Amino acid sequence: MYKIIDGKELAAKMRADIKKDVEKYTKENGRQIGLAVVLAGDNPASQVYVRNKIKACEEVGIKSYAYYLDGGVTQAELEKLLHTLAEDKNIDGILVQLPLPKHLDSEKALRIIPTEKDVDGFSADNTGKLCQGKESIVACTPNGVMKMLESCNIDICGKRAVVVGRSNIVGKPMAMLLLNADATVTVCHSKTENLKEECLNADIIVAAIGKAKFITADMVKEGAVVIDVGMNRDENGKLCGDVDFESVKEKCSYITPVPGGVGPMTITMLMYNTCLSVMRSER
Ligand code: GUN
């Protein structure tokens, strides 16, 4: 019988703990932790994410500073803002919602964010440290997945983990985290020739492909742990993941649902990273 890993429940528990830590910090330091959230343009999905990030800040007691930039903002204007935020003592974390409008060079802009304020963990410095197994700020979604595995005491050491997807935001850092936790890791992607066989070998599958119900029951080993990072719409417009949940669940020991799985963890990990960054800078 499979067990569902409830991301909503774990996220709520973590947020309650974060809230306590934030309260303690605010009281002891006479200042609020500050997170700057930068959104350029009117991408509807980004608007929803940003709204939810600001809501999460309110919930845990972090002060959010929202910057809504016109879609036509120039590279120079964006960089000027990021330089100001980088210098601002009230700002502990800076988040630039991606994707940025196409005319902007996001890599160049993100390089302005100091490592200790890079609460998304996207900088070369933070990703490099992660690769080397050193202390770093880790991208929110894969870090949230690790917390979910931990919360269920799922054994990672020595297990075969297959990450499907190789994005900089999820797939690559996910693979590194699993590797650092002593899994034997395979990263699969759109050019992988024997994807089904690779998945069938896996004790743990992390699906981060961006294709509705892509992982089907015939690709999953009996007793596998299946983590679904996907957020798609099915043929009826209903929210669904990268995993065909209804058929795959019967094969699994653990599985995450969509919605209510990895999704709620991502924003919680942003709050977590913001606090962690502040606490570390105090050491
Ligand atoms: N766009 C999609 N996911 C993310 C994320 O985790 N952080 C940021 N900044 N942008 C995103």
Side-chain angles (χ1 to χ4, degrees):
M1 185 60 189
Y2 65 90
K3 288 196 182 113
I4 288 187
I5 311 179
D6 187 338
K8 220 169 143 184
E9 189 183 305
L10 179 60
K13 219 160 88 191
M14 283 190 72
R15 281 191 204 190
D17 289 342
I18 293 167
K19 188 171 181 210
K20 279 188 210 143
D21 289 345
V22 172
E23 271 170 12
K24 184 165 176 276
Y25 176 89
T26 309
K27 217 183 254 173
E28 284 176 359
N29 294 273
R31 71 174 287 270
Q32 257 186 305
I33 294 172
L35 174 66
V37 181
V38 180
L39 172 64
D42 53 9
N43 179 319
S46 292
Q47 285 173 330
V48 174
Y49 286 130
V50 162
R51 204 180 313 133
N52 288 335
K53 286 171 186 181
I54 289 169
K55 242 167 56 188
C57 283
E58 279 165 22
E59 194 185 321
V60 300
I62 291 175
K63 188 168 168 57
S64 63
Y65 298 81
Y67 295 87
Y68 299 102
L69 309 178
D70 187 86
V73 64
T74 65
Q75 182 78 21
E77 285 164 339
L78 174 65
E79 291 186 7
K80 184 165 178 258
L81 171 64
L82 292 175
H83 279 297
T84 308
L85 297 173
E87 294 291 319
D88 191 334
K89 296 255 184 300
N90 291 317
I91 304 286
D92 300 285
I94 304 171
L95 173 134
V96 178
Q97 188 62 32
L98 301 176
L100 284 170
K102 282 201 167 55
H103 68 280
L104 295 170
D105 182 342
S106 40
E107 245 175 67
K108 187 163 172 269
L110 293 183
R111 275 203 292 274
I112 296 166
I113 301 173
T115 305
E116 66 280 7
K117 292 193 182 187
D118 168 36
V119 285
D120 256 331
F122 293 166
S123 69
D125 196 28
N126 274 318
T127 50
K129 283 177 177 163
L130 175 65
C131 280
Q132 293 175 349
K134 290 187 183 141
E135 187 177 274
S136 64
I137 299 179
V138 180
C140 300
T141 301
N143 208 6
V145 170
M146 294 306 282
K147 294 281 179 203
M148 293 175 95
L149 296 172
E150 260 171 45
S151 76
C152 297
N153 293 316
I154 291 166
D155 215 5
I156 300 174
C157 175
K159 301 293 181 213
R160 286 179 190 272
V162 167
V163 179
V164 191
R166 55 173 160 177
S167 69
N168 289 335
I169 293 181
V170 181
K172 285 182 202 167
M174 189 73 250
M176 280 303 152
L177 285 167
L178 290 163
L179 188 60
N180 290 347
D182 297 323
T184 302
V185 182
T186 303
V187 182
C188 297
H189 45 80
S190 55
K191 304 284 194 302
T192 298
E193 287 190 349
N194 48 352
L195 181 66
K196 182 177 165 183
E197 286 67 31
E198 296 290 356
C199 288
L200 274 170
N201 265 328
D203 301 304
I204 301 167
I205 297 176
V206 181
I209 313 140
K211 286 190 184 155
K213 303 182 187 179
F214 184 83
I215 303 287
T216 45
D218 60 323
M219 300 166 80
V220 177
K221 184 168 85 171
E222 202 68 47
V225 174
V226 174
I227 307 290
D228 191 348
V229 179
M231 191 70 87
N232 315 292
R233 297 270 167 196
D234 70 7
E235 59 282 3
N236 303 314
K238 204 171 149 228
L239 204 61
C240 72
D242 289 350
V243 175
D244 183 19
F245 182 84
E246 284 308 317
S247 69
V248 169
K249 69 181 183 191
E250 303 300 340
K251 291 268 194 83
C252 296
S253 54
Y254 289 91
I255 186 166
T256 66
V258 175
V262 176
M265 288 300 291
T266 297
I267 294 183
T268 299
M269 294 312 292
L270 176 68
M271 302 299 111
Y272 176 89
N273 279 352
T274 306
C275 291
L276 196 65
S277 161
V278 174
M279 309 301 169
R280 279 183 187 158
S281 69
E282 294 218 305
R283 284 198 312 230

PDB file of all heavy atoms in Angstrom, residues 46 49 53 95-99 120 122 139-141 169 266, ligand 1:
ATOM      1  N   SER A  46       3.822  34.035 -13.051  1.00  0.00           N
ATOM      2  CA  SER A  46       4.770  34.733 -12.175  1.00  0.00           C
ATOM      3  C   SER A  46       4.031  35.624 -11.187  1.00  0.00           C
ATOM      4  O   SER A  46       4.416  35.734 -10.020  1.00  0.00           O
ATOM      5  CB  SER A  46       5.734  35.586 -12.999  1.00  0.00           C
ATOM      6  OG  SER A  46       6.585  34.756 -13.753  1.00  0.00           O
ATOM      7  N   TYR A  49       2.795  33.424  -8.413  1.00  0.00           N
ATOM      8  CA  TYR A  49       3.904  33.010  -7.548  1.00  0.00           C
ATOM      9  C   TYR A  49       4.319  34.145  -6.617  1.00  0.00           C
ATOM     10  O   TYR A  49       4.509  33.963  -5.424  1.00  0.00           O
ATOM     11  CB  TYR A  49       5.125  32.580  -8.370  1.00  0.00           C
ATOM     12  CG  TYR A  49       4.987  31.237  -9.045  1.00  0.00           C
ATOM     13  CD1 TYR A  49       5.266  31.077 -10.395  1.00  0.00           C
ATOM     14  CD2 TYR A  49       4.600  30.105  -8.320  1.00  0.00           C
ATOM     15  CE1 TYR A  49       5.153  29.843 -11.017  1.00  0.00           C
ATOM     16  CE2 TYR A  49       4.484  28.868  -8.933  1.00  0.00           C
ATOM     17  CZ  TYR A  49       4.763  28.744 -10.285  1.00  0.00           C
ATOM     18  OH  TYR A  49       4.650  27.527 -10.885  1.00  0.00           O
ATOM     19  N   LYS A  53       4.304  34.380  -2.604  1.00  0.00           N
ATOM     20  CA  LYS A  53       5.541  34.580  -1.846  1.00  0.00           C
ATOM     21  C   LYS A  53       5.357  35.726  -0.846  1.00  0.00           C
ATOM     22  O   LYS A  53       5.796  35.640   0.306  1.00  0.00           O
ATOM     23  CB  LYS A  53       6.711  34.859  -2.810  1.00  0.00           C
ATOM     24  CG  LYS A  53       7.155  33.597  -3.540  1.00  0.00           C
ATOM     25  CD  LYS A  53       8.158  33.816  -4.663  1.00  0.00           C
ATOM     26  CE  LYS A  53       8.403  32.493  -5.389  1.00  0.00           C
ATOM     27  NZ  LYS A  53       9.375  32.560  -6.474  1.00  0.00           N
ATOM     28  N   LEU A  95      14.952  38.263  -4.429  1.00  0.00           N
ATOM     29  CA  LEU A  95      14.426  37.252  -5.327  1.00  0.00           C
ATOM     30  C   LEU A  95      13.949  37.918  -6.605  1.00  0.00           C
ATOM     31  O   LEU A  95      13.162  38.862  -6.543  1.00  0.00           O
ATOM     32  CB  LEU A  95      13.250  36.586  -4.621  1.00  0.00           C
ATOM     33  CG  LEU A  95      12.468  35.622  -5.468  1.00  0.00           C
ATOM     34  CD1 LEU A  95      12.221  34.390  -4.683  1.00  0.00           C
ATOM     35  CD2 LEU A  95      11.177  36.228  -5.935  1.00  0.00           C
ATOM     36  N   VAL A  96      14.492  37.497  -7.732  1.00  0.00           N
ATOM     37  CA  VAL A  96      14.022  38.002  -9.016  1.00  0.00           C
ATOM     38  C   VAL A  96      13.192  36.891  -9.645  1.00  0.00           C
ATOM     39  O   VAL A  96      13.708  35.805  -9.936  1.00  0.00           O
ATOM     40  CB  VAL A  96      15.201  38.368  -9.949  1.00  0.00           C
ATOM     41  CG1 VAL A  96      14.688  38.840 -11.300  1.00  0.00           C
ATOM     42  CG2 VAL A  96      16.083  39.429  -9.307  1.00  0.00           C
ATOM     43  N   GLN A  97      11.903  37.132  -9.807  1.00  0.00           N
ATOM     44  CA  GLN A  97      11.042  36.077 -10.341  1.00  0.00           C
ATOM     45  C   GLN A  97      11.404  35.800 -11.800  1.00  0.00           C
ATOM     46  O   GLN A  97      11.515  36.706 -12.619  1.00  0.00           O
ATOM     47  CB  GLN A  97       9.563  36.495 -10.212  1.00  0.00           C
ATOM     48  CG  GLN A  97       8.572  35.400 -10.546  1.00  0.00           C
ATOM     49  CD  GLN A  97       8.666  34.184  -9.638  1.00  0.00           C
ATOM     50  OE1 GLN A  97       8.994  34.293  -8.459  1.00  0.00           O
ATOM     51  NE2 GLN A  97       8.403  33.013 -10.174  1.00  0.00           N
ATOM     52  N   LEU A  98      11.583  34.536 -12.109  1.00  0.00           N
ATOM     53  CA  LEU A  98      11.929  34.112 -13.464  1.00  0.00           C
ATOM     54  C   LEU A  98      10.707  33.441 -14.101  1.00  0.00           C
ATOM     55  O   LEU A  98       9.890  32.892 -13.392  1.00  0.00           O
ATOM     56  CB  LEU A  98      13.108  33.126 -13.423  1.00  0.00           C
ATOM     57  CG  LEU A  98      14.395  33.664 -12.787  1.00  0.00           C
ATOM     58  CD1 LEU A  98      15.444  32.559 -12.734  1.00  0.00           C
ATOM     59  CD2 LEU A  98      14.917  34.876 -13.544  1.00  0.00           C
ATOM     60  N   PRO A  99      10.578  33.454 -15.401  1.00  0.00           N
ATOM     61  CA  PRO A  99      11.488  34.061 -16.359  1.00  0.00           C
ATOM     62  C   PRO A  99      11.308  35.578 -16.454  1.00  0.00           C
ATOM     63  O   PRO A  99      10.184  36.076 -16.314  1.00  0.00           O
ATOM     64  CB  PRO A  99      11.068  33.390 -17.678  1.00  0.00           C
ATOM     65  CG  PRO A  99       9.617  33.045 -17.500  1.00  0.00           C
ATOM     66  CD  PRO A  99       9.431  32.777 -16.033  1.00  0.00           C
ATOM     67  N   ASP A 120      17.328  32.310  -3.568  1.00  0.00           N
ATOM     68  CA  ASP A 120      16.899  31.289  -4.527  1.00  0.00           C
ATOM     69  C   ASP A 120      18.000  30.250  -4.748  1.00  0.00           C
ATOM     70  O   ASP A 120      17.743  29.192  -5.322  1.00  0.00           O
ATOM     71  CB  ASP A 120      16.574  31.947  -5.878  1.00  0.00           C
ATOM     72  CG  ASP A 120      15.083  32.062  -6.121  1.00  0.00           C
ATOM     73  OD1 ASP A 120      14.337  31.211  -5.605  1.00  0.00           O
ATOM     74  OD2 ASP A 120      14.680  32.999  -6.836  1.00  0.00           O
ATOM     75  N   PHE A 122      20.453  30.463  -6.828  1.00  0.00           N
ATOM     76  CA  PHE A 122      20.731  30.319  -8.260  1.00  0.00           C
ATOM     77  C   PHE A 122      22.131  30.786  -8.659  1.00  0.00           C
ATOM     78  O   PHE A 122      22.567  30.561  -9.782  1.00  0.00           O
ATOM     79  CB  PHE A 122      19.726  31.132  -9.099  1.00  0.00           C
ATOM     80  CG  PHE A 122      18.312  30.611  -9.040  1.00  0.00           C
ATOM     81  CD1 PHE A 122      17.258  31.401  -9.502  1.00  0.00           C
ATOM     82  CD2 PHE A 122      18.028  29.339  -8.563  1.00  0.00           C
ATOM     83  CE1 PHE A 122      15.953  30.931  -9.469  1.00  0.00           C
ATOM     84  CE2 PHE A 122      16.725  28.867  -8.526  1.00  0.00           C
ATOM     85  CZ  PHE A 122      15.682  29.671  -8.982  1.00  0.00           C
ATOM     86  N   ALA A 139      18.594  25.845  -3.966  1.00  0.00           N
ATOM     87  CA  ALA A 139      17.356  26.184  -4.674  1.00  0.00           C
ATOM     88  C   ALA A 139      16.143  25.566  -3.967  1.00  0.00           C
ATOM     89  O   ALA A 139      16.184  24.429  -3.497  1.00  0.00           O
ATOM     90  CB  ALA A 139      17.443  25.698  -6.119  1.00  0.00           C
ATOM     91  N   CYS A 140      15.068  26.363  -3.908  1.00  0.00           N
ATOM     92  CA  CYS A 140      13.938  26.042  -3.032  1.00  0.00           C
ATOM     93  C   CYS A 140      13.245  24.709  -3.361  1.00  0.00           C
ATOM     94  O   CYS A 140      12.967  23.924  -2.451  1.00  0.00           O
ATOM     95  CB  CYS A 140      12.907  27.164  -3.105  1.00  0.00           C
ATOM     96  SG  CYS A 140      13.596  28.744  -2.588  1.00  0.00           S
ATOM     97  N   THR A 141      12.958  24.469  -4.625  1.00  0.00           N
ATOM     98  CA  THR A 141      12.177  23.263  -4.942  1.00  0.00           C
ATOM     99  C   THR A 141      12.948  21.976  -4.612  1.00  0.00           C
ATOM    100  O   THR A 141      12.434  21.126  -3.877  1.00  0.00           O
ATOM    101  CB  THR A 141      11.707  23.303  -6.411  1.00  0.00           C
ATOM    102  OG1 THR A 141      10.909  24.474  -6.581  1.00  0.00           O
ATOM    103  CG2 THR A 141      10.891  22.081  -6.772  1.00  0.00           C
ATOM    104  N   ILE A 169      17.134  25.132 -12.276  1.00  0.00           N
ATOM    105  CA  ILE A 169      16.325  25.442 -11.090  1.00  0.00           C
ATOM    106  C   ILE A 169      15.967  24.180 -10.304  1.00  0.00           C
ATOM    107  O   ILE A 169      15.926  24.191  -9.087  1.00  0.00           O
ATOM    108  CB  ILE A 169      15.044  26.219 -11.502  1.00  0.00           C
ATOM    109  CG1 ILE A 169      15.394  27.599 -12.035  1.00  0.00           C
ATOM    110  CG2 ILE A 169      14.054  26.320 -10.361  1.00  0.00           C
ATOM    111  CD1 ILE A 169      14.198  28.452 -12.438  1.00  0.00           C
ATOM    112  N   THR A 266       7.863  24.652  -1.936  1.00  0.00           N
ATOM    113  CA  THR A 266       8.796  25.559  -2.616  1.00  0.00           C
ATOM    114  C   THR A 266       8.837  26.925  -1.934  1.00  0.00           C
ATOM    115  O   THR A 266       9.901  27.435  -1.600  1.00  0.00           O
ATOM    116  CB  THR A 266       8.418  25.702  -4.108  1.00  0.00           C
ATOM    117  OG1 THR A 266       8.564  24.419  -4.708  1.00  0.00           O
ATOM    118  CG2 THR A 266       9.309  26.684  -4.830  1.00  0.00           C
TER     119      THR A 266
HETATM  120  N1  GUN B   1      10.361  30.711 -11.582  1.00  0.00           N
HETATM  121  C1  GUN B   1       9.970  29.418 -11.444  1.00  0.00           C
HETATM  122  N2  GUN B   1      10.443  28.913 -10.286  1.00  0.00           N
HETATM  123  C2  GUN B   1      11.137  29.897  -9.679  1.00  0.00           C
HETATM  124  C3  GUN B   1      11.835  29.966  -8.447  1.00  0.00           C
HETATM  125  O1  GUN B   1      11.953  29.017  -7.670  1.00  0.00           O
HETATM  126  N3  GUN B   1      12.413  31.175  -8.186  1.00  0.00           N
HETATM  127  C4  GUN B   1      12.320  32.229  -9.028  1.00  0.00           C
HETATM  128  N4  GUN B   1      12.934  33.357  -8.689  1.00  0.00           N
HETATM  129  N5  GUN B   1      11.686  32.197 -10.180  1.00  0.00           N
HETATM  130  C5  GUN B   1      11.085  31.025 -10.488  1.00  0.00           C
END
